[in-house]
């Protein structure tokens, strides 16, 4: 009989059986897992292809590699280490970039290198004004083949700047000159000018320069010239006229919607015309009078209308609406005062016949004979005694039209497109900007030398003189001219010429 097992032995044998069962179960689970993870069977291997013949070995040169493509940014050193990974105390010292202040001249800031050396991209933005740079020189006079033209050019070149005072000392008006003219008297040069605040100034160039106060002083204090100025208008004086047939009268127009006449003998300024309604604003841009019709005053307005005032009649002024835009300037044919040439902001030069008035009511207007359209606005139209028309416009040209056969025109004549095409087109910088009065050509009314010529200011601080054929006769300059003499005009008969500047200064050539 077997001996009885103790309690300990019985537990040991039970544990052995349980462990054996656990091992068996674990082995079965592991076998199932291996079968599930086993890869699928590979397909049968294909037949081996014949290996190609080895290519001859060539020496492989090292190639450049892109740091950017390799992942190294611009902020890394040569070893590929980014600067941001370097401690701040070990980084190379970079000087602080100081902000640039004040005005910078691009000609001194150009980047070095042929790639950046061109400035053509900015050339179209540069205006043509180059103060002091002549566009007509003594060489042009010497090289003139025609002896008659050469003589005319020498005569214009002989005109010298007034020596009594420098231009900066002759302040004919307190503000910018908008209109200027000579008194027709031939005994002495008397210039009249109107400014933007309505002041009318007078300067007598025959006055003698006083002696210096202290003759021992190296820079003596020379007294300023005598100038008379009167506030005859409340706004810009747009025109000043002294009729040759009535030299005691000074007729002025203004943006304050009035036309006035100053009697030089009584020294009283009388109002000739203003709108009946005091609240109506009808700025006058230009006036003109003709020796052939002494009592008729023609005027243009900021609203694009043209008016006719008869000083003998008490009737109202007749006003015709001709344009939708401002009429900047106009003129009458000196010998045929019924012909009017207008220059407008609508880019047109138009010729009207006052002998034939058409329409009724507000549609009533003179007969339109012809027109010419420019690329940009036309500033002024000036008619010469011989029948030539000169215009200035913002397309940087001065155009001359041949209308010498106007005496043959019947009322309502239709001017052909060919005749309305400029006979001469002169390149001329007319970009005045904000601080310079608009450049306008002005013919000499009745030249004593018989040569038809007109003057127009040059943005390089000169005054240009041209003939009716578009030939330049002269370019006037002188020491002490510090601004553009924008408002330039001849004496009616003599070869005296004056120009007013944006600061009210006067330049005079005689």
């Amino acid at each position: 009989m077997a001996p009885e097992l103790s309690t300990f032995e019985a537990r040991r044998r039970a544990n052995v059986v349980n462990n054996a069962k656990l091992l068996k179960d674990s082995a079965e689970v592991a076998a199932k897992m291996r079968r599930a993870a086993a890869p699928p069977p590979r397909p049968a291997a294909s037949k081996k292809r014949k290996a190609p013949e080895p290519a001859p070995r060539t020496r492989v040169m090292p190639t450049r590699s892109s740091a950017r493509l390799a992942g190294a940014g611009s902020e890394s050193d040569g070893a590929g280490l980014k600067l941001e990974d370097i401690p701040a105390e070990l980084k190379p010292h970079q000087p602080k970039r100081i902000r640039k202040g004040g005005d910078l001249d691009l000609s001194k800031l150009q980047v070095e290198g042929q790639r950046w050396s061109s400035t053509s991209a900015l050339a179209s933005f540069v205006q043509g004004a180059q103060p002091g740079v002549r566009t007509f020189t003594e060489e042009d006079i010497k090289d003139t083949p025609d002896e008659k033209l050469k003589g005319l050019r020498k005569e214009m070149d002989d005109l010298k700047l007034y020596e009594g005072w420098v231009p900066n000392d002759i302040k004919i008006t307190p503000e910018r000159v908008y209109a200027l003219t000579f008194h027709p008297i031939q005994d002495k040069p008397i210039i009249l000018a109107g400014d933007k605040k309505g002041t009318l100034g007078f300067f007598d160039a025959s006055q003698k320069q006083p002696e210096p106060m202290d003759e021992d002083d190296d820079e003596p204090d020379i007294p300023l010239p005598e100038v008379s100025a009167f506030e005859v208008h409340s706004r810009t004086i747009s025109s000043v006229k002294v009729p040759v047939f009535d030299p005691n009268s000074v007729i002025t127009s203004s943006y304050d919607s009035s036309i006035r006449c100053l009697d030089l003998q009584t020294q009283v300024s009388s109002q000739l015309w203003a709108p009946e309604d005091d609240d109506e604003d009808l700025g006058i841009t230009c006036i003109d009078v003709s020796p052939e019709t002494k009592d008729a005053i023609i005027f243009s307005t900021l609203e694009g209308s043209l008016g006719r005032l008869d000083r003998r009649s008490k009737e109202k002024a007749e006003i015709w609406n001709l344009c939708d835009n401002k009429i900047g300037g106009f003129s009458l044919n000196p010998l045929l005062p019924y012909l009017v040439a207008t220059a407008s902001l609508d880019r047109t030069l138009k010729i009207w016949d006052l002998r034939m008035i058409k329409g009724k009511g507000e549609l009533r207007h003179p007969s339109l004979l012809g027109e010419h359209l420019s690329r940009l606005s036309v500033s002024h139209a000036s008619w010469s005694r011989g029948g030539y028309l000169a215009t200035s416009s913002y397309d940087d040209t001065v155009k001359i039209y041949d209308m010498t056969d106007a005496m043959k025109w019947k009322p309502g004549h239709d001017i052909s497109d060919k005749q309305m095409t400029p006979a001469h087109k002169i390149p001329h910088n007319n970009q005045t900007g904000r601080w310079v009065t608009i450049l306008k050509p002005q013919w000499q009314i009745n030249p004593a030398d018989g040569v038809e010529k007109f003057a127009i200011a040059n943005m390089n601080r000169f005054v240009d003189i041209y003939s009716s054929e578009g030939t330049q006769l002269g370019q006037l300059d002188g020491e002490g001219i510090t601004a553009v003499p924008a408002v330039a005009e001849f004496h009616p008969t003599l070869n005296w010429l004056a120009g007013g500047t944006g600061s009210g200064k006067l330049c005079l050539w005689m």
Side-chain angles (χ1 to χ4, degrees):
M1 182 176 179
E4 186 178 357
L5 296 176
S6 63
T7 303
F8 174 79
E9 183 63 22
R11 288 183 179 177
R12 184 184 71 78
R13 289 186 179 185
N15 289 339
V16 170
V17 174
N18 290 335
N19 289 341
K21 185 178 180 181
L22 290 174
L23 289 174
K24 183 179 178 181
D25 293 342
S26 299
E28 292 177 357
V29 172
K32 291 179 181 181
M33 294 176 63
R34 283 195 298 270
R35 287 194 298 267
R42 295 181 179 180
S46 60
K47 295 182 179 179
K48 292 184 179 180
R49 296 179 180 178
K50 185 178 180 181
E53 295 182 1
R57 297 184 63 184
T58 57
R59 182 181 179 186
V60 179
M61 299 295 293
T63 58
R64 296 179 61 187
S65 61
S66 170
R68 178 178 62 83
L69 296 177
S74 59
E75 299 181 354
S76 61
D77 61 7
L81 182 62
K82 293 185 178 181
L83 293 179
E84 62 186 21
D85 296 334
I86 302 177
E89 60 272 11
L90 298 180
K91 289 182 179 179
H93 176 69
Q94 295 290 339
K96 183 179 180 181
R97 297 175 66 88
I98 302 175
R99 180 180 61 253
K100 297 179 179 180
D103 297 333
L104 303 176
D105 186 353
L106 292 187
S107 62
K108 300 177 181 179
L109 303 173
Q110 196 163 0
V111 178
E112 295 181 357
Q114 185 176 1
R115 175 180 295 184
W116 302 284
S117 61
S118 174
T119 58
S120 59
L122 299 178
S124 60
F125 295 97
V126 179
Q127 300 295 340
Q130 295 177 297
V133 178
R134 295 185 64 90
T135 56
F136 183 78
T137 64
E138 293 183 358
E139 294 298 324
D140 295 316
I141 300 176
K142 294 179 181 179
D143 296 341
T144 305
D146 186 275
E147 290 300 323
K148 184 178 179 180
L149 176 59
K150 190 174 184 177
L152 288 173
R153 286 178 164 176
K154 286 183 177 179
E155 185 179 351
M156 295 298 103
D157 190 57
D158 288 339
L159 297 179
K160 301 301 179 185
L161 193 64
Y162 176 64
E163 296 180 351
W165 283 269
V166 295
N168 277 348
D169 287 342
I170 312 174
K171 192 170 178 64
I172 191 169
T173 57
E175 301 290 339
R176 187 204 307 184
V177 175
Y178 266 77
L180 178 145
T181 192
F182 274 90
H183 192 281
I185 189 173
Q186 299 184 12
D187 299 336
K188 55 184 179 181
I190 297 179
I191 301 93
L192 300 82
D195 73 359
K196 67 177 295 184
K197 292 294 183 65
T199 303
L200 180 64
F202 294 78
F203 175 70
D204 182 355
S206 65
Q207 60 182 286
K208 293 184 179 180
Q209 183 178 4
E211 297 296 331
M213 298 294 185
D214 188 357
E215 296 182 357
D216 298 332
D217 193 355
D218 293 336
E219 296 183 359
D221 186 13
I222 301 175
L224 296 176
E226 295 179 357
V227 177
S228 302
F230 309 94
E231 297 179 353
V232 295
H233 288 278
S234 60
R235 293 178 63 186
T236 301
I237 294 179
S238 55
S239 287
V240 180
K241 298 289 182 182
V242 182
V244 177
F245 54 84
D246 187 11
N248 286 326
S249 298
V250 179
I251 304 175
T252 57
S253 65
S254 171
Y255 286 179
D256 66 6
S257 309
S258 70
I259 300 174
R260 305 188 68 87
C261 180
L262 171 65
D263 190 320
L264 295 178
Q265 287 186 334
T266 63
Q267 297 188 9
V268 175
S269 174
S270 304
Q271 181 173 284
L272 298 181
W273 182 85
E276 291 184 349
D277 186 353
D278 292 338
D279 295 330
E280 183 178 358
D281 193 6
L282 192 64
I284 311 298
T285 59
C286 188
I287 59 173
D288 201 3
V289 293
S290 170
E292 305 297 325
T293 54
K294 299 180 181 180
D295 293 303
I297 299 176
I298 310 297
F299 60 91
S300 59
T301 72
L302 293 170
E303 305 298 325
S305 56
L306 190 74
R308 179 169 58 185
L309 171 68
D310 191 341
R311 298 175 65 182
R312 299 169 300 179
S313 174
K314 295 182 179 180
E315 295 182 1
K316 300 178 182 178
E318 189 171 10
I319 299 178
W320 309 291
N321 295 317
L322 303 184
C323 305
D324 293 332
N325 302 94
K326 162 188 171 183
I327 296 178
F330 80 95
S331 67
L332 302 174
N333 186 310
L335 300 181
L336 308 171
Y338 52 81
L339 294 179
V340 184
T342 60
S344 175
L345 200 63
D346 64 5
R347 304 182 295 149
T348 61
L349 161 71
K350 294 180 180 179
I351 300 178
W352 309 86
D353 190 345
L354 299 183
R355 294 176 296 179
M356 181 180 288
I357 308 297
K358 300 179 179 180
K360 294 181 180 181
E362 294 184 356
L363 299 179
R364 184 175 168 83
H365 63 84
S367 176
L368 177 62
L369 305 185
E371 68 176 291
H372 180 259
L373 183 67
S374 292
R375 187 171 60 87
L376 295 173
S377 64
V378 186
S379 304
H380 186 61
S382 180
W383 217 320
S384 77
R385 190 178 183 84
Y388 291 94
L389 263 174
T391 65
S392 57
S393 56
Y394 272 93
D395 61 2
D396 285 341
T397 61
V398 173
K399 304 180 184 71
I400 301 176
Y401 303 79
D402 187 352
M403 302 292 171
T404 52
D405 63 342
M407 193 170 292
K408 303 177 183 178
W409 298 349
K410 296 180 179 181
H413 173 79
D414 186 14
I415 305 176
S416 65
D417 292 339
K418 181 178 180 181
Q419 191 168 11
M420 287 303 302
T421 302
H424 307 285
K425 188 180 292 186
I426 307 168
H428 196 272
N429 178 21
N430 298 324
Q431 306 301 318
T432 53
R434 182 178 180 183
W435 307 111
V436 179
T437 305
I438 295 173
L439 308 186
K440 298 181 178 181
Q442 300 287 359
W443 292 94
Q444 191 172 20
I445 296 175
N446 190 16
D449 58 8
V451 179
E452 288 202 318
K453 50 190 175 291
F454 67 85
I456 183 170
N458 186 304
M459 287 299 293
N460 291 1
R461 299 179 184 173
F462 305 111
V463 174
D464 294 328
I465 303 173
Y466 293 95
S467 70
S468 58
E469 297 177 351
T471 304
Q472 186 156 7
L473 301 180
Q475 189 169 82
L476 306 184
D477 63 355
E479 294 185 6
I481 300 177
T482 59
V484 180
V487 186
E489 190 165 324
F490 270 107
H491 183 275
T493 54
L494 304 178
N495 286 335
W496 298 341
L497 198 148
T501 72
S503 57
K505 309 297 178 58
L506 178 69
C507 305
L508 174 63
W509 291 269
M510 300 169 62

